[in-house]
Every structure is written in structure tokens, then in C-alpha cells.
Amino acid sequence: MTTIAVAIICKTPSPGKSKTRLSPPLPPEDCAEISGCFIADLAATIAGLSEGGDAPGYAVYTPVGSQEELRHLLPDGFGLVPQGEGDLGRRLDQGITDLLAQGHAGAILVNSDSPTLPRHILRAAVQALKSGDNAVISPALDGGYTLIGLSRPHPELFADIPWSTDTVYSLTLERARKIGVPVISLDPWYDVDDARSYAMLEDELDGRPLPFSAAGQPVQEAPRTRAFVRRRQTVMAS
């Protein structure tokens, strides 16, 4: 069976070190808690995706030594791969390389900031990598990308990219054209990494449709994230 690894690239939650751009409005302890909710919900979505056996789930994690704490957030059967050293580009390239070395025909890295990422986007990414030597990307609303997948390593795709800017996605497409890697772009989604995007998450979980979501697609349930948001809304209203 052709398998495509689907991995969350993540940091094991820790107060003061997780989701710091969400503080404020959240205190550091809540930032760590919601980070764990995001990882757990996204991992559950990936686990459901992989029930057919063609999309095994992984966490590409940091810091080394935190794997036992991280395992509490992951479904049984999830693989653990430590992140490499260097900037984000080098760590993304190393993560792809390490997953492909497990014998998979492709590898997808998903950021840990999108707890409601729809399953249909992940499934489309898996199918795209089965179609040949190409890259697959789901753009993020902030100009980055929610996921990127490759069927073989292309370190040039990640080199000298100005990470955490609104040009990451466009520059990655330009780089792919220069090195001759076909790109399949999927539906966009959003990262929850500041007060504005947290408000967008609240809107989505309250049932208000997002303008960029595909018509008729159900909201990915994200139960742990939903419980956190509901609890915080109750506290703020009291």
C-alpha cells in the first residue's frame, strides 16, 4: 500500500513558551492549555483520516525529551519524530526527510495552530502526493501555509524564506517554479496565533460561517478546543 505520512509539527506545550502571541488576551497557563487542545484535536482528525491505513499520523516535535508528556495528547499509534536543529526552514526540510526515510511515498507537515482544519483538505493533500513528484500546499490567511507536503526532499524550497511574514506562501510558490517542482494548491485555512484569529475561532465554533470555507462543509468538531473556548467565554461573561 502506498502511504503518505501526515505529521503535526509542534512544540510540547509549556507555560511561557507556547502560543505566546495569544498572551494577551490569554494568560501563559491558558496559552499552554489551548496549545495542547489544538494538538489533541488536530491529531484526532489525522487519526480519523488514517483509518484506511494509507495516511499514518506522526508528531514532529520539540524539545527532545518531552515525548512522554506529548504522548498524552496523541492517539495510540501516532509516531514521534524529533525536530532537527536550525531555523524553521531547516526543521521543515529535516522533518520531510525523516518521514520519507520511514518508507512513505510522501510526507505532509501540518502546523499545530489550526485545530479545526477540515479533514477534506488533509485528504486532498494525501491524494495529491499519491499522484506524482510534486508539492502540495494549503495556504493560510496570514500569507503563510497551513500544511506543506512533498513526495521527495527539496531543501531549496525552504531555504532563505522570511518566516512569519505575509510573503511565505507566495515566495514558496515562486521558489517551486524556479526549481521545477509542480505545486498543487488546496483550499485555504487559518492559523490561530493572535487575538484576531482567536476571535475567528470563536466565530467558527459559535456556528458563524467563515467566508473562505467551502460551502456545505461541516465544521471539524475539535472537541477539546471547543470545551476550552466555551469555558473561557463563561468566565468572561460572569
Side-chain angles (χ1 to χ4, degrees):
M1 177 187 293
T2 299
T3 57
I4 306 296
V6 183
I8 307 169
I9 185 159
C10 62
K11 179 188 296 184
T12 301
S14 176
K17 297 181 180 180
S18 299
K19 307 299 297 171
T20 55
R21 290 176 61 195
L22 277 174
S23 180
L26 305 182
E29 294 78 11
D30 281 1
C31 289
E33 182 180 351
I34 199 172
S35 177
C37 293
F38 287 2
I39 293 169
D41 286 334
L42 187 53
T45 300
I46 293 171
L49 180 81
S50 64
E51 289 174 352
D54 66 336
Y58 289 85
V60 177
Y61 72 97
T62 189
V64 174
S66 64
Q67 56 268 36
E68 290 308 313
E69 183 180 355
L70 183 60
R71 280 194 184 279
H72 294 296
L73 302 174
L74 303 174
D76 292 340
F78 246 62
L80 287 172
V81 175
Q83 287 184 32
E85 300 293 331
D87 69 2
L88 179 58
R90 293 190 65 177
R91 286 182 282 127
L92 290 173
D93 174 55
Q94 190 63 54
I96 293 285
T97 299
D98 289 344
L99 291 168
L100 292 175
Q102 305 276 347
H104 303 296
I108 298 165
L109 294 178
V110 187
N111 77 47
S112 61
D113 299 332
S114 302
T116 60
L117 181 67
R119 188 172 300 173
H120 80 269
I121 293 179
L122 288 167
R123 173 49 64 186
V126 170
Q127 293 305 119
L129 285 190
K130 287 184 176 183
S131 66
D133 179 16
N134 51 52
V136 60
I137 302 179
S138 169
L141 296 189
D142 62 5
Y145 45 75
T146 299
L147 66 79
I148 187 166
L150 294 168
S151 49
R152 66 184 180 89
H154 289 287
E156 306 97 326
L157 205 59
F158 304 106
D160 301 318
I161 297 292
W163 304 105
S164 300
T165 70
D166 61 4
T167 62
V168 170
Y169 174 66
S170 60
L171 289 176
T172 301
L173 293 183
E174 181 181 341
R175 184 70 56 79
R177 285 192 293 269
K178 286 183 177 179
I179 65 177
V181 178
V183 175
I184 299 172
S185 289
L186 305 177
D187 291 341
W189 205 246
Y190 71 107
D191 304 335
V192 182
D193 54 15
D194 56 19
R196 181 172 178 269
S197 51
Y198 183 86
M200 189 180 299
L201 175 68
E202 289 185 308
D203 284 346
E204 183 188 11
L205 295 179
D206 284 341
R208 291 184 283 276
L210 302 175
F212 53 85
S213 60
Q217 288 290 342
V219 175
Q220 199 66 44
E221 187 55 31
R224 290 183 59 161
T225 300
R226 183 182 293 274
F228 175 95
V229 170
R230 291 287 179 268
R231 185 169 67 252
R232 183 171 182 273
Q233 287 174 327
T234 300
V235 170
M236 296 298 290
S238 61

